[in-house]
Amino acid sequence: VELVAASGGRNLNVFDIHTGELLTVFVGDEPGRHVGENEGHVAQISCLCFYGDFIYSGGMDMVIHVWDIVNKKRIMCLQGHEATVVCVAVDDEKIMSGAADQKINIWDRVDGTLLRTLGGHKKSVTCLNIGPTWFVSGGADGEVRVWSIPAGTETFKGVKSRQRLRGHESGVTAVAYGFLEVVSGTQDGNIFVWWLETKTIIKKIKAHETMVRQLQFDATRIVSCGNDGTAVIVDITNGEVSQSLRGHEKGVVAVAFDTRGGR
């Protein structure tokens, strides 16, 4: 990974991850312009996804912009949500977005066509984790939904909500899927490990003092970050916090680890 993307207000910045040098700024437009006429966001950027040579940004202006970082220009503006776009996730086939309108939209990654709109959450859709045949959504309604995507459904007509995980004590803010397990983080700083076969909570960990912003997990550990300014490593086998990494002066909004040993 050579680049990192970050947003502030309506602007999107691309940095060299090794030197910290600011390489590109995609500038937002002034509020008041009609969506479609603008070349950037006209309201605050609320979520980002960096995939391949493209950055996908969702905003409080209810749209998703797709930015080509090689040619340094916007290539698509996706319109379809009726409230702030809260989360965006991308893979080789699709763009998925969740918004405060309680909807999940599925878009064609190549041409931006809106393929499907899904309902189910009773409040804002706050987080997504996606794969080729599945995706998981979390909502401010305190619910996690596990969805299936049948093979051969290019227009995603066969998408179904397969499981509903209920038992969180506040809104869900982060979610990750592992086939047998789902791990979720909440507004009140807890992390839940769910066993999907029985839809039961097998571990509940108080990892953060405030909202969990993002998490990932593997066979041995959960790594999470939160608004309390910490990154936390949890031993997934016993549910205990093994490390709490401090140093940030404000909330940590994203965390990731790779699968190579010793890194």
Side-chain angles (χ1 to χ4, degrees), residues 2 15-23:
E2 303 294 330
F15 298 89
D16 184 305
I17 199 169
H18 302 290
T19 66
E21 180 187 358
L22 177 60
L23 302 176

Side-chain angles (χ1 to χ4, degrees), residues 8 13 25 36 43 48 65 68 75 90 97 112 115 127 136 180 186-189 199 223 227 231 236 243 248 255 258:
N13 298 334
V25 180
L48 295 174
H65 288 309
D68 182 335
I75 60 170
V90 183
S97 55
L115 302 174
C127 48
V136 184
L180 297 177
T186 61
Q187 186 77 34
D188 57 6
K199 296 191 292 186
V223 178
N227 275 1
I236 200 169
Q243 282 185 288
H248 291 282
V255 65
D258 65 30

Side-chain angles (χ1 to χ4, degrees), residues 2-258:
E2 303 294 330
L3 305 173
V4 63
S7 63
R10 301 187 298 272
N11 296 339
L12 174 60
N13 298 334
V14 181
F15 298 89
D16 184 305
I17 199 169
H18 302 290
T19 66
E21 180 187 358
L22 177 60
L23 302 176
T24 306
V25 180
F26 295 111
V27 180
D29 267 331
E30 291 299 319
R33 298 192 68 178
H34 295 292
V35 173
E37 295 178 352
N38 56 297
E39 292 297 324
H41 286 283
V42 297
Q44 181 171 323
I45 297 171
S46 47
C47 55
L48 295 174
C49 181
F50 200 157
Y51 190 83
D53 291 330
F54 303 96
I55 300 171
Y56 302 79
S57 60
M60 295 180 70
D61 51 8
M62 305 182 288
V63 301
I64 299 158
H65 288 309
V66 183
W67 308 91
D68 182 335
I69 59 172
V70 175
N71 297 301
K72 299 183 179 180
K73 64 180 182 179
R74 188 195 70 175
I75 60 170
M76 284 193 288
C77 176
L78 310 182
Q79 303 176 47
H81 282 296
E82 298 175 345
T84 296
V85 182
V86 182
C87 51
V88 177
V90 183
D91 65 13
D92 286 344
E93 296 182 346
K94 59 189 177 292
I95 304 164
M96 295 192 64
S97 55
D101 60 6
Q102 306 172 25
K103 298 293 192 297
I104 298 168
N105 281 349
I106 306 176
W107 318 77
D108 186 280
R109 194 174 77 88
V110 176
D111 62 16
T113 302
L114 179 58
L115 302 174
R116 185 79 193 273
T117 296
L118 302 167
H121 285 283
K122 297 178 178 63
K123 292 185 179 179
S124 174
V125 181
T126 53
C127 48
L128 291 166
N129 184 209
I130 73 173
T133 60
W134 55 267
F135 65 93
V136 184
S137 61
D141 54 3
E143 187 171 289
V144 168
R145 286 181 173 242
V146 181
W147 306 74
S148 61
I149 306 172
T153 55
E154 293 182 0
T155 57
F156 298 93
K157 290 181 179 178
V159 173
K160 293 182 180 179
S161 178
R162 193 174 82 226
Q163 289 173 302
R164 299 168 68 183
L165 306 179
R166 290 177 285 187
H168 301 96
E169 296 161 359
S170 63
V172 179
T173 53
V175 67
Y177 178 69
F179 295 100
L180 297 177
E181 302 155 304
V182 163
V183 178
S184 55
T186 61
Q187 186 77 34
D188 57 6
N190 287 309
I191 291 175
F192 293 77
V193 181
W194 299 82
W195 189 250
L196 286 180
E197 185 177 350
T198 58
K199 296 191 292 186
T200 55
I201 300 166
I202 56 176
K203 289 187 178 62
K204 176 185 173 183
I205 307 114
K206 181 62 176 177
H208 296 273
E209 295 301 317
T210 55
M211 182 175 80
V212 179
R213 293 297 298 262
Q214 196 178 64
L215 57 82
Q216 287 188 285
F217 76 101
D218 61 14
T220 61
R221 59 190 171 173
I222 304 167
V223 178
S224 63
C225 62
N227 275 1
D228 57 2
T230 65
V232 172
I233 302 172
V234 172
D235 186 324
I236 200 169
T237 58
N238 59 27
E240 295 182 359
V241 174
S242 57
Q243 282 185 288
S244 184
L245 308 176
R246 303 180 183 276
H248 291 282
E249 297 177 357
K250 293 186 178 180
V252 185
V253 298
V255 65
F257 63 88
D258 65 30

